[in-house]
C-alpha cells in the first residue's frame, strides 16, 4: 500500500484549533519520486516558500502511481483529511493519481478542492495498454474534473483545450509554473565540467525529461545524425529516467560527432545546466515544462518543438521553435547555435529575461496566493 507522506517539517495541525486564529490549512497533493516530474518539484518549492508563513501546509504524497482504485490509500487519506480539516485541498494533475486525490477529499467532506491540470493522458500515443488509456480519458480524468470545486491550468494552451470547455465558473485561470532565477547561473560551470571530464571548448547540449518516446527522442536521434561534422567535440547530456530508457539509449548510440551520456534522474540539475551550452527539447506534446523554464533561467538558448506551452514561453525570444516530428528542422535550428558561442549567449540572455518577467518563482507564488485567497474567502 502506498501510504501518504506527511513530512515532520509540515506539521499536521491540531484538529481542535480554530482556523479563525491560525493560518488556513492547505493540503498539497503530489505523486512521484524526487527529480522525476515537474508537479512534484512545484510542490516542494511551494512548501519551502514564503507562502508557508501565510498558510499551514500539509503534504499528501504518494511515491508511486496507482494501477487501479487503491482503497487502502483512499482510507488513509480520508483519515488524514478528516483530522486536519483543511480550508483547501490542492490536487496536481489528472489521471489516476489526481482521481484518488479528489475522491479522498470529497469522501472526507472537504468543500474546496482545486485541481491544476499539468497534462492529460489523451495526448499519449504509446501507452502500451489502449484499454487503460480509454479508462483514463473517458473515466478518471472527467471524474476528477467533475469532483473538483475549482480547476486551473499551468498555461494558456491548456486553458483553451476542448476537454476543459465545460468548466464554467470552476475555472480559476492560469497559474503558470515558476522557477528560481539563479543570481550566478554559471557559478558551478568549471567544477561540473571538470567532474564530467568536459573540456573548455566542448559544446554541450542537454535535455532534461522523462525517458519516453513521447519526448521526441527518435526525432532527436535522427536530427543529430543530420548535423554536419563538428569542428569541436560535441556532447549530449540526457537527464532523466523512464520506461523507454533502453530503447532511447539504443537510438542515441553510435551517432558520429556527438558523444551521448545518459545520466539518469539527478538532484543536481541546476549544476548540470550550468555546465551546458544549449537546451534541446523535441517533445511531441507539452503543457508548461519546468525543465524548459529552468534551462532558460540559467541562460541557456533553447531549441524546442512548437507544441503547447513551449510556444507561449518562447514567443518573446530565448530560443528557436521547430515543428514537432521534424528532424531536419531540428537539425537546422541546432546547427548555427552549436557553431556560434556569441549567438548562444545572446539568445540565452533573452530567455533569462523572459523567465524573470513572467515565469519566476515569485510570479508563480503570487498567482497561487491570489487563487488560494479567492477560493478560501468565497
Amino acid at each position: 500500500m502506498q501510504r501518504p507522506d506527511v513530512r515532520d517539517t509540515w506539521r499536521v495541525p491540531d484538529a481542535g484549533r480554530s482556523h479563525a486564529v491560525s493560518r488556513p490549512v492547505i493540503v498539497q497533493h503530489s505523486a512521484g519520486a524526487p527529480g522525476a516530474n515537474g508537479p512534484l518539484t512545484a510542490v516542494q518549492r511551494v512548501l519551502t516558500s514564503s507562502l508557508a508563513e501565510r498558510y499551514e501546509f500539509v503534504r499528501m504524497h504518494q511515491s508511486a502511481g496507482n494501477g487501479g482504485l487503491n482503497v487502502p490509500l483512499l482510507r488513509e487519506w480520508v483519515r488524514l483529511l478528516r483530522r486536519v480539516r483543511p480550508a483547501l485541498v490542492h490536487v496536481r494533475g489528472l489521471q489516476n493519481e489526481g482521481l484518488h486525490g479528489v475522491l479522498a477529499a470529497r469522501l472526507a467532506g472537504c468543500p474546496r478542492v482545486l485541481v491544476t491540470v499539468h497534462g492529460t493522458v489523451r495526448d499519449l500515443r504509446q501507452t502500451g495498454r489502449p484499454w487503460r488509456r480509454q479508462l483514463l480519458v473517458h473515466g478518471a480524468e472527467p471524474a476528477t474534473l467533475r469532483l473538483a470545486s475549482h480547476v486551473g491550468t499551468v498555461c494558456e494552451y491548456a486553458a483553451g483545450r476542448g476537454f476543459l470547455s465545460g468548466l464554467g465558473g470552476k475555472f480559476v485561470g492560469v497559474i503558470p509554473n515558476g522557477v528560481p532565477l539563479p543570481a550566478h547561473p554559471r557559478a558551478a560551470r568549471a567544477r561540473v565540467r571538470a567532474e564530467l571530464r568536459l573540456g573548455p571548448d566542448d559544446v554541450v547540449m542537454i535535455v532534461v525529461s522523462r525517458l519516453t518516446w513521447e519526448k521526441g527522442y527518435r526525432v532527436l536521434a535522427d536530427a543529430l545524425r543530420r548535423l554536419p561534422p563538428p569542428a569541436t567535440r560535441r556532447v549530449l547530456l540526457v537527464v532523466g529516467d523512464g520506461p523507454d530508457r533502453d530503447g532511447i539509449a539504443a537510438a542515441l548510440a553510435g551517432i558520429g560527432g556527438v558523444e551521448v551520456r545518459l545520466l539518469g534522474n539527478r538532484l543536481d540539475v541546476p549544476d548540470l545546466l550550468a555546465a551546458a551550452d544549449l537546451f534541446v527539447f523535441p517533445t511531441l506534446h507539452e503543457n508548461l515544462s519546468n525543465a524548459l523554464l529552468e534551462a532558460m533561467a540559467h541562460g541557456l538558448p533553447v531549441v524546442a518543438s512548437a507544441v503547447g506551452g513551449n510556444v507561449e514561453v518562447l514567443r518573446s525570444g530565448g530560443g528557436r521553435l521547430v515543428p514537432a516530428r521534424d528532424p531536419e528542422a531540428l537539425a537546422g535550428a541546432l546547427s548555427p547555435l552549436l557553431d556560434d558561442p556569441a549567438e548562444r549567449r545572446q539568445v540565452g540572455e533573452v530567455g533569462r529575461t523572459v523567465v524573470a518577467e513572467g515565469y519566476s518563482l515569485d510570479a508563480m507564488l503570487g498567482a497561487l496566493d491570489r487563487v488560494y485567497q479567492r477560493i478560501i474567502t468565497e
Side-chain angles (χ1 to χ4, degrees):
M1 179 182 73
Q2 295 297 327
R3 299 178 65 86
D5 174 14
V6 182
R7 302 293 174 87
D8 292 339
T9 50
W10 312 114
R11 182 170 51 84
V12 179
D14 182 350
R17 288 191 306 162
S18 169
H19 289 171
V21 295
S22 62
R23 293 170 292 169
V25 176
I26 297 182
V27 169
Q28 298 283 337
H29 163 272
S30 59
N37 66 61
L40 178 54
T41 299
V43 169
Q44 292 167 333
R45 287 172 176 159
V46 169
L47 293 176
T48 56
S49 74
S50 59
L51 292 186
E53 299 174 4
R54 184 164 192 171
Y55 306 103
E56 184 136 25
F57 290 129
V58 173
R59 192 172 182 185
M60 192 169 76
H61 178 75
Q62 59 187 107
S63 58
N66 298 301
L69 189 64
N70 190 330
V71 175
L73 177 66
L74 282 173
R75 287 174 176 163
E76 287 283 339
W77 280 358
V78 168
R79 282 195 290 268
L80 169 69
L81 292 170
R82 285 176 175 167
R83 179 183 173 192
V84 304
R85 295 188 299 177
L88 173 65
V89 179
H90 184 177
V91 175
R92 287 175 168 83
L94 300 175
Q95 302 188 31
N96 193 266
E97 292 79 14
L99 177 62
H100 278 71
V102 295
L103 187 56
R106 289 310 193 186
L107 289 173
C110 302
R112 304 181 189 91
V113 184
L114 168 65
V115 170
T116 45
V117 178
H118 297 257
T120 168
V121 76
R122 69 192 64 232
D123 289 333
L124 303 181
R125 293 294 177 267
Q126 296 166 314
T127 60
R129 291 180 289 177
W131 60 268
R132 187 174 188 274
R133 179 180 184 276
Q134 292 302 311
L135 284 175
L136 291 170
V137 169
H138 301 292
E141 292 193 350
T144 301
L145 295 171
R146 284 196 301 270
L147 288 168
S149 62
H150 300 80
V151 176
T153 62
V154 295
C155 61
E156 298 166 9
Y157 162 75
R161 300 198 63 177
F163 75 98
L164 297 178
S165 61
L167 293 174
K170 284 187 178 184
F171 185 61
V172 296
V174 175
I175 310 168
N177 291 338
V179 298
L181 199 71
H184 305 287
R186 297 303 201 188
R189 182 177 176 84
R191 173 182 61 80
V192 178
R193 285 177 79 100
E195 292 172 357
L196 294 173
R197 300 181 304 282
L198 298 169
D201 296 325
D202 295 346
V203 180
V204 180
M205 296 172 279
I206 187 169
V207 55
V208 181
S209 78
R210 191 162 182 260
L211 294 193
T212 72
W213 295 117
E214 305 280 344
K215 295 299 182 179
Y217 281 99
R218 283 195 180 92
V219 181
L220 177 59
D222 195 352
L224 295 179
R225 288 186 169 88
R226 293 168 184 256
L227 293 173
T232 59
R233 181 188 184 203
R234 291 174 179 169
V235 178
L236 172 67
L237 304 179
V238 180
V239 183
D241 208 343
D244 298 325
R245 178 189 172 94
D246 291 344
I248 289 169
L252 292 172
I255 297 175
V258 180
E259 177 186 332
V260 178
R261 302 186 191 177
L262 275 69
L263 303 182
N265 281 337
R266 299 284 292 249
L267 298 180
D268 61 344
V269 172
D271 286 350
L272 296 173
L273 293 172
D277 299 296
L278 175 64
F279 186 78
V280 191
F281 197 46
T283 182
L284 306 184
H285 52 80
E286 197 67 34
N287 279 293
L288 186 58
S289 166
N290 277 294
L292 171 67
L293 298 178
E294 288 172 356
M296 294 172 67
H298 279 78
L300 291 185
V302 170
V303 177
S305 49
V307 297
N310 295 356
V311 177
E312 59 200 71
V313 172
L314 292 171
R315 63 189 169 197
S316 298
R320 308 284 186 260
L321 288 166
V322 298
R325 306 176 188 271
D326 190 336
E328 184 174 355
L330 181 58
L334 285 171
S335 188
L337 287 170
L338 288 169
D339 294 336
D340 191 340
E343 179 72 4
R344 291 198 298 268
R345 284 193 296 272
Q346 180 181 354
V347 174
E349 288 170 3
V350 173
R352 185 170 157 84
T353 300
V354 168
V355 172
E357 293 179 349
Y359 300 99
S360 67
L361 184 58
D362 285 345
M364 179 187 76
L365 295 174
L368 199 58
D369 189 26
R370 289 190 292 274
V371 169
Y372 284 170
Q373 285 297 307
R374 169 184 163 183
I375 294 174
I376 66 180
T377 58
E378 285 181 347

